[in-house]
Amino acid sequence: MAKKQVSLGNEARYVKLLYYPKRRMFTLTVCSILTILFSSWLWANLQQKTDVHWFVLSLPMIFLGLLTNFLPPDEEWSYGPWQDSSQKNERNIYE
């Protein structure tokens, strides 16, 4: 019995990209809030006309920005089974 070959059209059932729209909106919201926060922080520092340079504020901004690494991913690859059903490829030979 010949094995059934998988054509290119059937590969989509084994691998697909899952989108999470709620996670994506959450990520966009957090990034937008952080951008507004950092911009206003720098703008307020510039308006005070102090001798503090903007890169003095960059250290806390970097630490806050690194927290975005802990956001959940909004896209994931989903891998299905490589075969539709299991096969027995080995034989037990008893002497």
Side-chain angles (χ1 to χ4, degrees), residues 6-71:
V6 177
S7 65
L8 291 176
N10 290 336
E11 287 183 12
R13 68 181 171 170
Y14 295 116
V15 177
K16 59 182 166 175
L17 185 62
L18 300 176
Y19 295 99
Y20 299 108
K22 289 183 181 180
R23 287 184 187 176
R24 182 170 287 181
M25 285 303 299
F26 178 72
T27 302
L28 288 173
T29 304
V30 167
C31 290
S32 299
I33 290 172
L34 285 176
T35 301
I36 292 168
L37 175 72
F38 293 163
S39 300
S40 62
W41 200 352
L42 287 174
W43 183 259
N45 186 33
L46 289 173
Q47 293 301 319
Q48 289 177 359
K49 297 189 193 267
T50 59
D51 291 335
V52 178
H53 294 287
W54 67 270
F55 53 83
V56 173
L57 293 176
S58 66
L59 190 61
M61 286 184 190
I62 288 172
F63 287 129
L64 285 174
L66 285 175
L67 291 176
T68 59
N69 287 328
F70 296 109
L71 291 174

Side-chain angles (χ1 to χ4, degrees), residues 90-95:
E90 298 176 2
R91 291 185 185 168
N92 295 329
I93 300 174
Y94 300 104
E95 294 182 13

Side-chain angles (χ1 to χ4, degrees), residues 69-84:
N69 287 328
F70 296 109
L71 291 174
D74 54 3
E75 295 177 350
E76 289 180 351
W77 286 102
S78 172
Y79 299 100
W82 292 103
Q83 300 174 6
D84 288 338

